[in-house]
């Protein structure tokens, strides 16, 4: 029986990095027949239309805003991200007038830690629980940097569900993940804004690099990946379904 897994990539996708999709390989190590019967379909970005809304008060769109949107699961600690941001501000105190780190979503595993950091870092905002999707989607398109935070592990084969939204938002993605990560594979081996989830010094350096570019021209900070936009599109999904049929 053919099993269709609505996850990451098709072999037709021509991206740099690993020669085949990580989830397929990972599933094959547990279920060998999956390599013969499994079909992987990428996450999608559907053209959802929402009423135009104003950005919430905690986000001044004229600032250097860094956004992590999504639940902070037990395996995805934001400590490296926060301490890296803190170090960036320490190294460049004048940035405190511009920079904001926004964490939106459920974070119950880290309530105590986040409470401590909120008291230490005025430029850190942590939401009280989940935020409506239309607000998050609007912010992803209006902040300067979107963060994708993955677990600290040897491999991260699962593509985060927010990846398509970050691609369509067309803003730089700060990827904190293992080197062997499906997200990293898609962004490319030479993608500039990637480091490990707990690499505090490197995270601070990446914030500085992005901030310096933002100071020169905020409008030039774009992801600009037409290949990935196609990859998460409904037209690509149509191609895959037709190839299956």
């Amino acid at each position: 029986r053919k099993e269709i897994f609505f996850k990451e990539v098709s072999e037709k996708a021509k991206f740099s990095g690993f020669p085949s999709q990580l989830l397929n390989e990972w599933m094959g190590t547990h279920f060998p027949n999956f390599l013969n019967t499994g079909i992987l379909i990428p996450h999608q970005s559907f053209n959802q239309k929402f009423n135009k809304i104003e950005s919430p008060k905690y986000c001044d769109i004229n600032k250097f805003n860094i956004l992590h949107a999504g639940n902070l699961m037990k395996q995805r600690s934001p400590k490296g991200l926060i301490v890296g941001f803190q170090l960036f501000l320490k190294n460049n105190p004048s940035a405190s007038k511009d920079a904001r780190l926004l964490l939106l979503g459920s974070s119950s595993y880290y309530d105590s830690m986040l409470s401590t950091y909120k008291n230490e870092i005025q430029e850190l905002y942590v939401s009280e629980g989940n935020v409506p999707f239309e607000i998050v989607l609007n912010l992803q398109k209006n902040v300067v940097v979107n963060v994708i935070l993955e677990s600290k592990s040897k491999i991260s084969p699962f593509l985060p569900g927010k990846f398509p939204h970050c691609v369509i938002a067309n803003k730089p993605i700060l990827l904190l993940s293992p080197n062997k990560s499906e997200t990293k594979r898609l962004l490319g081996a030479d993608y500039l804004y990637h480091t490990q989830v707990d690499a505090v010094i490197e995270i601070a350096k990446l914030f500085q690099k992005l901030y310096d570019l933002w100071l020169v021209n905020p409008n030039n900070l774009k992801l600009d990946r037409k290949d990935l936009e196609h990859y998460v599109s409904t037209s690509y999904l149509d191609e895959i379904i037709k190839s299956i049929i």
Side-chain angles (χ1 to χ4, degrees):
R1 184 174 61 89
K2 282 262 185 195
E3 296 174 88
I4 300 178
F5 282 75
F6 287 84
K7 267 298 181 186
E8 356 263 290
V9 302
S10 156
E11 289 182 357
K12 292 183 180 180
K14 303 299 183 183
F15 297 106
S16 60
F18 301 95
S20 62
Q21 53 270 48
L22 296 189
L23 184 60
N24 195 359
E25 295 173 350
W26 184 81
M27 290 290 290
T29 63
H30 295 275
F31 308 98
N33 200 43
F34 182 84
L35 297 176
N36 299 317
T37 63
I39 299 171
L40 301 181
I41 297 178
H43 283 299
Q44 301 298 299
S45 179
F46 296 101
N47 295 321
Q48 294 162 296
K49 294 183 178 180
F50 298 103
N51 294 326
K52 188 174 181 180
I53 56 176
E54 294 184 3
S55 295
K57 293 181 179 179
Y58 56 77
C59 181
D60 181 345
I61 61 172
N62 296 310
K63 300 289 187 180
F64 179 72
N65 293 299
I66 303 141
L67 171 64
H68 178 273
N71 295 341
L72 291 171
M73 296 185 288
K74 187 175 182 180
Q75 297 82 5
R76 296 179 181 174
S77 172
K79 184 174 182 179
L81 172 64
I82 296 171
V83 176
F85 178 70
Q86 190 176 35
L87 180 59
F88 156 65
L89 295 178
K90 181 180 178 181
N91 293 339
N92 189 351
S94 63
S96 62
K97 70 181 186 301
D98 298 317
R100 299 291 182 272
L101 175 59
L102 313 173
L103 305 182
L104 305 184
S106 177
S107 56
S108 56
Y109 286 109
Y110 303 103
D111 282 347
S112 178
M113 180 182 74
L114 292 175
S115 179
T116 298
Y117 281 123
K118 280 195 297 182
N119 292 329
E120 294 179 4
I121 309 171
Q122 293 184 345
E123 298 80 10
L124 171 65
Y125 176 83
V126 181
S127 69
E128 295 182 0
N130 292 324
V131 176
F133 177 66
E134 59 267 31
I135 293 177
V136 172
L137 200 63
N138 177 66
L139 288 175
Q140 286 175 322
K141 294 177 180 179
N142 285 287
V143 297
V144 178
V145 181
N146 283 303
V147 178
I148 292 182
L149 175 66
E150 299 187 349
S151 304
K152 182 173 177 58
S153 61
K154 293 182 179 180
I155 180 173
S156 181
F158 300 100
L159 191 67
K162 67 179 175 181
F163 179 77
H165 305 140
C166 291
V167 169
I168 299 303
N170 198 26
K171 298 301 174 80
I173 295 172
L174 175 62
L175 174 61
L176 305 180
S177 76
N179 284 322
K180 197 171 185 181
S181 155
E182 182 64 13
T183 308
K184 176 67 165 60
R185 189 184 79 81
L186 293 174
L187 288 170
D190 298 326
Y191 185 69
L192 294 176
Y193 308 120
H194 167 260
T195 191
Q196 306 297 309
V197 67
D198 55 356
V200 171
I201 294 175
E202 290 302 315
I203 292 171
K205 288 179 180 178
L206 289 175
F207 280 140
Q208 187 65 57
K209 180 182 292 187
L210 288 159
Y211 180 67
D212 290 342
L213 291 171
W214 179 79
L215 286 175
V216 173
N217 188 345
N219 296 322
N220 280 346
L221 278 172
K222 304 290 185 183
L223 183 63
D224 279 340
R225 290 290 300 272
K226 297 299 182 184
D227 57 337
L228 293 179
E229 289 178 20
H230 174 66
Y231 171 74
V232 300
S233 68
T234 52
S235 61
Y236 186 50
L237 174 63
D238 186 53
E239 290 176 27
I240 295 174
I241 291 175
K242 287 178 179 177
S243 73
I244 295 170
I245 295 172

